[in-house]
Amino acid sequence: MKGFVFKFESLEKVRKIREDEALLGLARAQTALVQARQKKQELEQCIIDSYERKEKNSGSDIPPSQIAIEAEFVLGTKVRILHAERFILKSERAVEKSLRTYLSARRQTRMIEILRERAISNFKTESQKKDQRRTDDLMLMRHTFQQEERESE
């Protein structure tokens, strides 16, 4: 719109940048959470595979050292699963915090957008009023000019 200037334009840009940064932070936090869950699933699959190997080889002669190594592997993997679960909890909290940050930034941006919409609406109304006044003045001038012409004749 020609002639429209929003007085909070710079503030709107800053808040939009903050919103974009918050959204990027949220995306990173969600990515970390998904990766942590995938890591836990991989560890759980390792334990399942270990038990399957143990059952498959139960009939054959396996050295006791191999059985002990497999048992230690399962215990170590269970410990890693616990660590992964703790990391998942941390990641979930980080996602919640990032989401709150993003929503706060979005609310602030939305406030400025509402102010912009109101300013545009007011500008349009004022423009229409000015146009109507101009039209009224022209019609009045035309009418006055025509009356003067009639009187002069």
Side-chain angles (χ1 to χ4, degrees):
M1 282 179 288
K2 189 175 181 182
F4 176 74
V5 178
F6 184 54
K7 62 182 177 180
F8 297 119
E9 185 109 20
S10 60
L11 181 61
E12 182 181 33
K13 287 180 184 177
V14 168
R15 288 194 177 173
K16 185 65 177 161
I17 289 170
R18 284 184 187 162
E19 179 187 343
D20 292 342
E21 289 172 352
L23 185 61
L24 185 62
L26 177 61
R28 287 182 183 142
Q30 287 175 335
T31 301
L33 177 61
V34 168
Q35 289 174 347
R37 287 180 177 161
Q38 287 175 346
K39 179 68 175 172
K40 181 183 172 196
Q41 286 177 346
E42 289 172 4
L43 291 172
E44 288 171 342
Q45 187 60 42
C46 285
I47 289 179
I48 291 170
D49 293 343
S50 175
Y51 284 135
E52 287 175 356
R53 278 193 306 268
K54 185 177 178 183
E55 285 185 21
K56 184 173 137 183
N57 295 330
S58 64
S60 60
D61 291 333
I62 299 174
S65 61
Q66 183 68 27
I67 295 172
I69 290 173
E70 196 72 35
E72 288 178 20
F73 171 77
V74 168
L75 289 176
T77 305
K78 286 181 180 180
V79 169
R80 284 185 287 189
I81 287 174
L82 289 175
H83 290 297
E85 286 174 351
R86 280 191 225 131
F87 187 72
I88 287 172
L89 289 175
K90 283 183 182 178
S91 297
E92 286 173 346
R93 279 184 250 143
V95 166
E96 290 171 4
K97 182 179 178 184
S98 297
L99 183 61
R100 282 192 303 273
T101 303
Y102 169 72
L103 291 175
S104 173
R106 179 68 191 131
R107 273 192 299 275
Q108 290 178 353
T109 303
R110 183 67 186 135
M111 284 190 295
I112 294 295
E113 288 172 351
I114 289 170
L115 289 175
R116 174 182 276 281
E117 291 168 4
R118 286 182 187 163
I120 289 172
S121 175
N122 290 341
F123 178 77
K124 285 180 180 179
T125 323
E126 290 299 319
S127 293
Q128 288 173 350
K129 286 180 181 178
K130 284 179 184 177
D131 289 343
Q132 186 62 41
R133 276 189 228 123
R134 286 186 198 129
T135 304
D136 291 345
D137 287 344
L138 285 173
M139 294 301 288
L140 183 63
M141 288 171 50
R142 180 177 170 210
H143 180 70
T144 307
F145 181 70
Q146 286 175 351
Q147 271 186 339
E148 288 175 359
E149 265 190 17
R150 284 187 207 134
E151 290 174 2
S152 65
E153 291 180 353

